[in-house]
Amino acid sequence: MGLNIDEQKAVERFRKDVVDPSQTHLVVLDFWAEWCGPCKALAPMLEKVCAEYADKGVILAKINVDEEPFIAGQFQVKSIPTVYAMFQGQPVADLTSARSESQFKQVLDQLLSQLPIQGGEGAPQGPSEEEIAQFIAMGEQALTEGDAQRAAGIFAQVVECANGNATAQAGLVRAMIALGQVDEARQALAALEAEPSLASDPAITAAKAALELAGTQVDDGELAGLKAAAESDPSDMDAGLAYAEAAFAAGDRDAAADTLLAMVETDREWNEGAARTKLLQIFEAVGLEDAWVVSTRRRLSKILFG
């Protein structure tokens, strides 16, 4: 067809993520970009409603126009956000103007009444594992971007329709912690640990580690004081550890890691390796597969074995 390799790969990704699912489902296709403020304002509503309509056969797919310019060009996207409804590989409605939740639901209800969408009576209830994984990924991205409120909403929607999903449950606990709702997070975690099928899941273990680290939360003034104490005397390991714990609890994981790595480099055996142990606890709380964790682990390995 005269496409170059990158364009062929883009088409294949679009086929897998949008065209194939649209054969039996209604795919809401959201064209967006990181720099687009209106896109980020619209995203929580799209995610919420699509999660609510998942058992009716609605799936949300997102296309970053900076990463997929060829696909955006094929749809002649001139401005963002642009939102289409796709069925059987074809756009069946332009949803861009439906900016409120009620407007969006009204349009979806109309489309679902007219199209033979998989869902409703006689069809499997609840979202598929693939759809659940998609929403969990969105929740994790929101947490990474510091939007804990949005993450909590996404994880809560997943928990509502897949209560046994440990990753979503743990994500909701971590979002609560990020919002400062430590007591609520502690209660939620206690309930999860009481469930034998969930208690030993790695995601729950990570949430527990995050909750333990959240116990050192302080206000901005106290954090500034701890930072000043640590920086004024780098040899004061107790001050460094106190600041690192508080910095992580405040959401500044880079500052926490930098402090702990410097402590390990200075004296890895201090207090039975407390700095390294705390860093490993942070890794567990964030998630061992997280890109930041992978990068920081390399820095730790370089200090220990380089």
Side-chain angles (χ1 to χ4, degrees), residues 263-270 272-274 276 303-305:
M263 292 171 64
V264 172
E265 191 167 21
T266 299
D267 184 359
R268 69 183 66 180
E269 300 302 330
W270 173 76
E272 298 181 347
R276 178 176 176 273
I303 292 171
L304 294 175
F305 309 112

Side-chain angles (χ1 to χ4, degrees), residues 25 51 53-57 118-120 123-129 131-132 161-162:
H25 292 69
Y53 275 61
D55 62 350
K56 298 180 180 181
Q118 178 178 311
Q125 296 299 304
S128 67
E129 290 185 8
E131 292 163 352
I132 289 173
C161 58

Side-chain angles (χ1 to χ4, degrees), residues 246-284:
F248 182 78
D252 193 348
R253 61 187 186 184
D254 287 330
D258 289 345
T259 302
L260 293 169
L261 287 168
M263 292 171 64
V264 172
E265 191 167 21
T266 299
D267 184 359
R268 69 183 66 180
E269 300 302 330
W270 173 76
N271 195 16
E272 298 181 347
R276 178 176 176 273
T277 299
K278 183 60 62 177
L279 197 52
L280 295 178
Q281 186 181 22
I282 288 175
F283 292 163
E284 185 176 39

Side-chain angles (χ1 to χ4, degrees), residues 254 257-258 261 292 294-304:
D254 287 330
D258 289 345
L261 287 168
W292 177 86
V294 173
S295 175
T296 310
R297 284 178 72 96
R298 291 198 192 101
R299 294 173 62 193
L300 176 62
S301 296
K302 187 175 180 180
I303 292 171
L304 294 175

Side-chain angles (χ1 to χ4, degrees), residues 223-236 239-240 243 252 255 258-259:
L223 181 62
L226 291 170
K227 180 180 181 181
E231 291 180 345
S232 65
D233 184 4
S235 66
D236 187 342
Y243 170 60
D252 193 348
D258 289 345
T259 302

